Amino acid sequence: MPVYSDKAILEALENGILSIEPLHLNNIQPASIDLTLGDKVETLLPGEIDLASPDMEDIKQRTQTHDIRSGFRLEPNTYVVGYTAEYLKFSTFINGRIDTRNSLARCGLDISAGSYINPGFEGHMPLVIRNLGSSSLVLHPGIRICQLEIFMLTGQSIRNYDNRHDLSKLAGQVSGNTFHDALQSDVSGDNPLAKFLDERIAAVARERWM
């Protein structure tokens, strides 16, 4: 899929295919948009997570939120979860990908984990911020933390981010074949960890935009 150029980004913003608030025009690059870091990050205290059946209450209790307005020191070989200061709203015609800015990558910072953005996503994008280098890195709100690439889908997606696990929408598009039968019999639900992330995205949106 082709990547949006700066011209296509401006057109998408103008016609409502993409919304970024607040938007600083000097953050629009030739084929990406620089996004900035919000004022809070989250850390997870040591413990155990069974990925097959995670104890969500335990994870919630071990998740700590840190105000970084006075700076937050990210030590080597550690990570935090932050959120973009910008509130993003994607139509179901586009998806996106977050990449590490080259200048920060040279310092050991990495934001490539969990970087995919679904069609129809709305909220402050969570960022897994890792320090892969040998130096401590100090995070501050408002720094240009990553770059966002926008891609046009081959057609409008059937589902958006919120109902991405609703198989009934897929089943309605096919009939009379093995694929349709497989969709009807697949009753697996979303992973509890994914639901936890959805809850955090919603909570951050309420905290900053109410």
Side-chain angles (χ1 to χ4, degrees), residues 98-102 104-105 109-112 145-147:
I98 295 289
D99 282 327
T100 306
R101 298 183 64 233
N102 288 338
L104 299 183
L109 195 72
D110 178 74
I111 311 185
S112 62
I145 192 70
C146 61
Q147 55 188 12

Side-chain angles (χ1 to χ4, degrees), residues 171-190:
Q173 303 299 309
V174 294
S175 61
N177 55 34
T178 303
F179 180 55
H180 179 267
D181 295 339
L183 286 173
Q184 296 288 18
S185 63
D186 190 343
V187 294
S188 60
D190 199 359

Side-chain angles (χ1 to χ4, degrees), residues 84 86-90 120-126 201 204-205 209:
T84 61
E86 293 81 5
Y87 189 90
L88 310 177
K89 188 174 182 179
F90 280 43
F121 173 82
E122 181 174 353
H124 298 274
M125 181 64 186
I201 291 173
V204 170
W209 291 82

